[in-house]
């Protein structure tokens, strides 16, 4: 997109993409350690009155609460980012996320304060969800809008996506360390260490993010609004009233990257340990290896997508993801580290490549003045509807299927099919927006 580069809004592609990567890595680390703790320990410590299946379901319920709060964060910080500035919004979300994560690590359990323990856990999870809801869209835009040319937006926006596997890798490493402790130590204090470690990362994140200048496209749009001297409508109102079909399509386009990810990286922990009787160290080792693979797949996928065409690339990866869950469960059932890693890796290869590219694809569909709000609401509503509910639906299907993984594979295929159809539908409004922006 052609924009003027003004003082305070210079292109900083390397610094902006690095800040987007580090910032989202910290944000997603905070979010993922909660998901891992929900699968491994929260049911026992915060819902001890409901053991087994119902305790796991209750813990995943608090996990889903964070997703339900994310659209609120997208609306609040989308408004801040579209009207006040991308950078200001991202500084606030980083502070909120880090602070809440530290507080969760200090939270007393049910044994200490009774019912207040799960109540406070849910409240903190709500705030965490609001923070993540405002983070993702701003990070994608700060990286993409600082790209040196329009045709590199997909690649630079992918650095925000790179923070997701990096955060997961870091969270897996932390939990591998603490789960190696004796069970008694892990349950009493070991699980808190990954949460408290967020204090160190919060300082690092601030130091990096504070040095990035405002997005040049936002600066240009702000100057244009001042010249026109027109009363602007709230960005959320513009999105809901002026582009409801675009928003719905963008919501569905994000499903594979969100719901598919939490299927493989959150639900599969509970599925393999609870229903297949695997050692938790095995599945955590598997997810660590798969996350490392996804880390390298992300920039490679963005690079390839720029060469073959972003739309064509997304269609291909979504189509592949429709069939991979059947191979995944066949291999996971064998129960070895190699078979489980290959099985989950096949599924993550497809959805990870899709996830790397979908952010830039969706952001190109919205005009600059409402882009932060548009992509944030699309992503976060998709997360609220599909992401948070996927581990719950998967747990219910696994409980009722009694060893038959076919319903679970069909669930993953349906997730992929929703995104496949939506990406096809989104191409026309995206092309129209790109033509208007470069006219």
């Amino acid at each position: 997109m052609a924009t003027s580069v003004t003082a305070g809004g210079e292109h900083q592609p390397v610094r902006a993409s690095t800040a987007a990567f580090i910032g989202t890595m910290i944000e997603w680390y905070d979010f993922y350690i909660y998901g891992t703790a929900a699968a491994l320990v929260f049911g026992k410590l915060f819902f001890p009155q409901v053991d087994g299946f119902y305790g796991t379901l209750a813990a995943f319920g608090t996990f889903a609460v964070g997703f339900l709060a994310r659209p609120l964060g997208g609306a609040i910080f989308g408004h801040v980012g579209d009207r006040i500035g991308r950078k200001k919004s991202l500084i606030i979300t980083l502070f909120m996320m880090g602070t809440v994560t530290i507080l969760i690590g200090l939270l007393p359990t049910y044994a200490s304060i009774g019912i207040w323990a799960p109540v406070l856990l849910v409240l903190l999870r709500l705030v965490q969800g609001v923070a993540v809801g405002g983070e993702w869209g701003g990070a994608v835009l700060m990286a993409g809008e600082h790209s040196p040319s329009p045709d590199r937006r997909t690649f630079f926006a992918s650095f925000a996506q790179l923070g997701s596997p990096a955060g997961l890798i870091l969270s897996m490493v932390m939990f591998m360390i603490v789960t190696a402790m004796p069970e008694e130590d892990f349950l009493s204090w070991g699980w808190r260490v990954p949460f408290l470690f967020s204090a160190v990362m919060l300082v690092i994140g601030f130091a990096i993010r504070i040095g990035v200048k405002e997005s040049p496209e936002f600066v240009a749009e702000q100057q244009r609004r001042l010249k026109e001297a027109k009363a602007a409508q709230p960005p959320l109102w513009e999105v809901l009233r002026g582009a409801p079909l675009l928003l719905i399509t963008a919501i569905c386009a994000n499903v594979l990257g969100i719901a598919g990810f939490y299927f493989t990286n959150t639900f599969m922990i509970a599925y393999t340990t609870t229903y297949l009787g695997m050692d938790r160290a095995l599945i955590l080792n598997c997810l660590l290896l798969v996350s490392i693979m996804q880390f390298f797949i992300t920039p490679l996928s963005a690079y390839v997508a720029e060469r073959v065409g972003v739309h064509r690339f997304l269609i291909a990866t979504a189509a592949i993801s429709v069939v991979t869950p059947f191979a995944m469960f066949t291999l996971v059932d064998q129960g070895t580290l190699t078979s489980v890693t290959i099985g989950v890796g096949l599924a993550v290869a497809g959805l990870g490549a899709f996830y790397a590219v979908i952010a830039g694809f969706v952001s190109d569909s919205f005009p600059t003045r409402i882009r932060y709000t548009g992509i944030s609401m699309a992503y976060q509503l998709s997360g609220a509807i599909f992401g948070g509910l996927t581990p719950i639906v998967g747990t219910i299907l696994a409980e009722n299927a009694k060893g038959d993984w076919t319903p679970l594979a069909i669930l993953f295929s349906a997730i992929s099919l929703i995104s496949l159809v939506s990406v096809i539908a989104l191409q026309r409004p995206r092309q129209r927006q790109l033509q208007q922006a470069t006219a």
Side-chain angles (χ1 to χ4, degrees), residues 101-164:
T101 303
I102 295 167
L103 290 175
I104 292 175
L106 297 172
L107 191 64
T109 63
Y110 188 92
S112 299
I113 59 174
I115 192 64
W116 284 107
V119 169
L120 291 173
L121 183 66
V122 169
L123 290 176
L124 290 173
R125 180 61 174 173
L126 281 169
V127 178
Q128 192 180 56
V130 170
V132 168
E135 162 68 22
W136 178 84
V140 168
L141 294 187
M142 282 294 278
E145 291 180 350
H146 272 287
S147 64
S149 62
D151 58 355
R152 303 307 314 281
R153 184 190 293 276
T154 295
F155 179 75
F156 282 95
S158 73
F159 279 84
Q161 304 294 72
L162 191 62
S164 178

Side-chain angles (χ1 to χ4, degrees), residues 102-272:
I102 295 167
L103 290 175
I104 292 175
L106 297 172
L107 191 64
T109 63
Y110 188 92
S112 299
I113 59 174
I115 192 64
W116 284 107
V119 169
L120 291 173
L121 183 66
V122 169
L123 290 176
L124 290 173
R125 180 61 174 173
L126 281 169
V127 178
Q128 192 180 56
V130 170
V132 168
E135 162 68 22
W136 178 84
V140 168
L141 294 187
M142 282 294 278
E145 291 180 350
H146 272 287
S147 64
S149 62
D151 58 355
R152 303 307 314 281
R153 184 190 293 276
T154 295
F155 179 75
F156 282 95
S158 73
F159 279 84
Q161 304 294 72
L162 191 62
S164 178
L168 182 61
I169 291 169
L170 189 56
S171 71
M172 288 292 113
V173 169
M174 291 299 295
F175 266 96
M176 285 176 64
I177 294 172
V178 296
T179 53
M181 298 176 174
E183 182 77 8
E184 183 178 347
D185 290 340
F186 173 65
L187 291 177
S188 64
W189 62 270
W191 68 270
R192 299 180 184 276
V193 174
F195 291 88
L196 298 178
F197 181 68
S198 186
V200 177
M201 300 180 64
L202 180 61
V203 175
I204 295 173
F206 266 115
I208 294 173
R209 186 160 280 182
I210 202 73
V212 181
K213 296 182 184 296
E214 184 56 84
S215 156
E217 291 189 26
F218 172 80
V219 172
E221 176 64 23
Q222 196 174 45
Q223 291 177 342
R224 184 193 63 79
R225 286 201 303 264
L226 288 173
K227 288 178 181 179
E228 292 181 355
K230 291 189 339 186
Q233 293 181 327
L236 181 59
W237 178 249
E238 281 197 64
V239 172
L240 296 177
R241 184 182 181 186
L245 291 179
L246 174 61
L247 178 61
I248 292 171
T249 307
I251 289 170
C252 294
N254 277 295
V255 171
L256 174 58
I258 299 174
F261 193 83
Y262 285 105
F263 188 105
T264 56
N265 291 279
T266 299
F267 166 70
M268 288 301 288
I269 296 176
Y271 174 74
T272 53

Side-chain angles (χ1 to χ4, degrees), residues 300-320:
L300 178 62
S301 298
Y303 178 83
V304 172
E306 285 186 347
R307 292 329 180 249
V308 304
V310 175
H311 186 233
R312 189 178 304 165
F313 183 86
L314 288 171
I315 289 175
T317 52
I320 290 170

